[in-house]
Amino acid sequence: MRLVFMGTPQGAADILSCLLSAKKDVAAVISRPDKPTGRGLRVLSSKVSALAKEHNLPVYKPENVGDAAFVKEISRIKPDLIVVVAYGKILTKEFLDIPKYGCINVHASFLPKYRGASPVQAALLNGDKETGVTIMKIIERLDAGDIIAQEKIVINDEDNSGTLTDKLFKAGAGLLLRVLSDNDRVKGIGSRRQEESLASYCATIKKTDGIIDFSRPAEEIRNKIRAFTPWPGAVCRYKGTVIKLLDGKLFVKTPRRGVFTGSSDAPPGRVMDVIKDQGIVISTGEGGLLITRVQPENSKAMSSLEFARGYRIEAGDSFIWE
């Protein structure tokens, strides 16, 4: 079966690598255009594009995948199937009609839940205990095509969006290989429609979404830290310095006498206490949040206790974004 692969980030590159290891016939790769990255704004290729070059595969980086000339170019390849993994652009009907068996997508949620651009973050923000990966037929409506295959994934309490994305892409690679080995499934035989009444959507994450509102409950803020780590980061400020909160948990007062010495009545965003061998406790709209790992602006990640020693954090100090 002649494939064209479309994708951009590392997870998509990992799935492309699995296809190549399995000796699948990948005739060409389509990825997003190179762009300036990092502080030096060095122009870099996407992870998918770089991997394709290593394997001497033809790589296309169109600005507009729906452009008539580009559709004609891909049509010349005569793919049987186009596999899309985190490409990041809506595909036109003219493009979807190119392959003999259509286009399929590896989506990082158990559809129809969390259609859209940020399914991993949405699952963590909502405190879900499980999510999944879905392989579906791509149609003109966002993530609404027939389901070809699905697999559920448990979300561990320690998972953040980085670790959960890795788990989902790994599961997606295995599921995709099983689908590609079954011609009936590739042709859509046995696929099923999504239940529209159960559909939910998640929007594109913006960097400003990571600003922490400490008036919210501690559990909600912890979910935000998990969802926005490593990107864009859940952030607050300490004396003008932007601080990413990398890890934390709900604070439960220990019964051991003398361990907690701060105030339980501190206003949201204020330090309740700095506890030896644990971390910094910050007051929220509902309960305390024990922060264990942070990354100050222009600095490396460190334990919250290292940060507390270096910045001389005391009870009553403010972490509010102002």
Side-chain angles (χ1 to χ4, degrees), residues 239-273:
K239 294 183 177 178
T241 300
V242 176
I243 311 293
K244 276 187 185 176
L245 304 187
L246 302 179
D247 202 0
K249 54 189 175 183
L250 303 187
F251 175 64
V252 179
K253 277 196 255 184
T254 172
R256 191 150 56 93
R257 181 186 294 273
V259 170
F260 178 70
T261 59
S263 169
S264 298
D265 299 324
R270 299 280 178 173
V271 174
M272 296 167 68
D273 204 353

Side-chain angles (χ1 to χ4, degrees), residues 1 80-81 100-104 135-139 145-149 178-193:
M1 180 172 296
D80 295 308
L81 188 72
K100 184 177 180 181
Y101 300 124
C103 301
I104 63 173
I135 296 183
M136 59 156 192
K137 186 94 168 177
I138 302 178
I139 62 175
D146 289 353
I147 293 170
I148 299 169
R178 293 197 290 278
V179 167
L180 293 177
S181 65
D182 184 338
N183 284 336
D184 284 349
R185 291 172 108 181
V186 170
K187 293 173 184 173
I189 297 173
S191 61
R192 58 186 169 81
R193 289 188 177 178

Side-chain angles (χ1 to χ4, degrees), residues 36-303:
T37 303
R39 291 179 187 171
L41 296 179
R42 185 180 168 201
V43 177
L44 295 175
S45 298
S46 74
K47 299 295 183 182
V48 165
S49 178
L51 178 65
K53 285 180 182 174
E54 286 178 21
H55 289 265
N56 297 315
L57 294 171
V59 182
Y60 298 89
K61 305 173 190 177
E63 291 288 346
N64 179 8
V65 77
D67 180 77
F70 183 69
V71 170
K72 191 174 181 181
E73 179 70 23
I74 299 303
S75 298
R76 288 198 188 99
I77 299 172
K78 297 182 178 177
D80 295 308
L81 188 72
I82 293 181
V83 176
V84 183
V85 185
Y87 178 67
K89 285 284 186 182
I90 299 295
L91 305 180
T92 62
K93 184 178 185 308
E94 290 73 21
F95 188 90
L96 295 174
D97 287 342
I98 293 173
K100 184 177 180 181
Y101 300 124
C103 301
I104 63 173
N105 177 232
V106 180
H107 185 79
S109 82
F110 205 78
L111 290 171
K113 196 173 186 181
Y114 303 140
R115 294 174 178 173
S118 56
V120 178
Q121 290 83 355
L124 291 168
L125 283 169
N126 289 320
D128 292 354
K129 300 301 181 188
E130 69 174 18
T131 182
V133 62
T134 301
I135 296 183
M136 59 156 192
K137 186 94 168 177
I138 302 178
I139 62 175
E140 289 178 86
R141 288 177 52 219
L142 179 66
D143 299 331
D146 289 353
I147 293 170
I148 299 169
Q150 286 185 299
E151 183 175 323
K152 287 189 175 178
I153 300 292
V154 172
I155 301 176
N156 295 324
D157 200 43
E158 299 77 21
D159 276 327
N160 59 30
S161 66
T163 62
L164 184 56
T165 297
D166 289 345
K167 287 161 67 173
L168 289 165
F169 277 127
K170 186 176 181 180
L175 194 61
L176 177 62
L177 287 175
R178 293 197 290 278
V179 167
L180 293 177
S181 65
D182 184 338
N183 284 336
D184 284 349
R185 291 172 108 181
V186 170
K187 293 173 184 173
I189 297 173
S191 61
R192 58 186 169 81
R193 289 188 177 178
Q194 296 187 36
E195 179 56 64
E196 286 299 320
S197 64
L198 299 178
S200 60
Y201 293 85
C202 47
T204 300
I205 300 289
K206 303 185 297 294
K207 202 167 181 180
T208 52
D209 292 334
I211 296 172
I212 295 173
D213 176 1
F214 282 104
S215 69
R216 306 303 303 167
E219 185 168 8
E220 184 178 315
I221 297 171
R222 181 174 183 260
N223 287 340
K224 181 174 227 175
I225 293 170
R226 296 170 68 206
F228 290 176
T229 300
W231 192 92
V235 295
C236 54
R237 276 203 179 105
Y238 179 74
K239 294 183 177 178
T241 300
V242 176
I243 311 293
K244 276 187 185 176
L245 304 187
L246 302 179
D247 202 0
K249 54 189 175 183
L250 303 187
F251 175 64
V252 179
K253 277 196 255 184
T254 172
R256 191 150 56 93
R257 181 186 294 273
V259 170
F260 178 70
T261 59
S263 169
S264 298
D265 299 324
R270 299 280 178 173
V271 174
M272 296 167 68
D273 204 353
V274 179
I275 302 178
K276 183 181 178 183
D277 298 329
Q278 294 191 48
I280 302 171
V281 184
I282 300 177
S283 181
T284 75
E286 190 177 307
L289 185 65
L290 176 65
I291 300 301
T292 57
R293 195 161 179 78
V294 303
Q295 183 175 16
E297 186 177 22
N298 298 323
S299 187
K300 64 179 183 179
M302 62 185 73
S303 75

